[in-house]
Amino acid sequence: MDRSRLSAAVPDWKPALQPLALAAAGKTGADIERLIREARQKARRERRQLTYSDIQEALTAGQSAMPPDLIWRIAVHEAGHALAWTAFDIATVQTVTVGNGSGGFVESDMRTDVVQTEEWLNKMIACALAGRAAEKLIFGDCVLGSGGDEMSDLARATRLATDAEANLGFGQAQPLLYRSLEAQPSILSLDRQLAQHVHDRLEAGEALATKLLSQHRSALLALATCLADAKTLDGSEVRALLAQEMNAITLGSKGPAP
């Protein structure tokens, strides 16, 4: 993108570009390139230059096409992930978005200054399952978006749980035995005992996520409401909102001063 041309239309381009950056969250470079190319082609057909509004419309087109009830469902799901990452303090949320073509997306940076114990790993699994747990907590069920492919929540959680049981020394059976998943990609199909232990760990992770979200239900709903309205939130907005909501709960639980 030619920044000088955009600057002519938008004098202070840094704050003006932030909404575009947030709208692009969760999209691949190829997705963004395709959307900008299509916006440019549309502008050429209309015999005019590409504008800021063209880019914004291209990046947010999928959001406006989603029905409100689906946006709300996805907002609750992604809010669950964001709250878990923040409350467990093992990652810093950068952006949260809904309606980006893949449903929703939470971008976060993992903390590198933590001791990666079994407790840490179990919290990682809980974070991966927190979106599903949030849906079940608020709606009583969950949609199929938690699974379906190798990048899904269930796939990531299963990989973590399998690593814990098979090659990280935390297994319920034969914890010192290292089993390579690369050498045995179908290990869960071949070893029913291992599969059961992995599933037990996944259930414990979902229960941990549910317990956390239940304790902070009002914060979950407040974040989901803001996300459904804005479609995309910056990490600083997420952290500020959650801090406010969670502090309110903490203060309220202490009761009136004597």
Side-chain angles (χ1 to χ4, degrees), residues 215-216 218-219 239-255:
Q215 292 173 341
H216 300 290
S218 62
R239 291 188 292 275
L241 187 150
L242 290 179
Q244 179 181 350
E245 292 291 330
M246 291 180 178
N247 286 339
I249 292 175
T250 301
L251 292 173
S253 65
K254 293 180 179 180

Side-chain angles (χ1 to χ4, degrees), residues 15-83:
L17 288 182
Q18 186 179 23
L20 299 184
L22 292 175
K27 295 181 175 65
T28 66
D31 290 335
I32 296 171
E33 183 179 1
R34 173 181 55 80
L35 290 170
I36 298 301
R37 182 172 62 250
E38 292 173 354
R40 184 179 289 113
Q41 291 171 347
K42 179 176 181 292
R44 286 175 178 170
R45 288 195 299 270
E46 297 175 359
R47 297 184 179 182
R48 57 179 178 79
Q49 290 186 341
L50 182 69
T51 66
Y52 181 95
S53 297
D54 291 328
I55 300 173
Q56 186 175 40
E57 180 180 348
L59 293 176
T60 60
Q63 296 174 342
S64 59
M66 296 176 63
D69 58 339
L70 181 56
I71 289 178
W72 173 238
R73 168 80 71 155
I74 296 173
V76 168
H77 182 105
E78 301 306 335
H81 285 305
L83 191 154

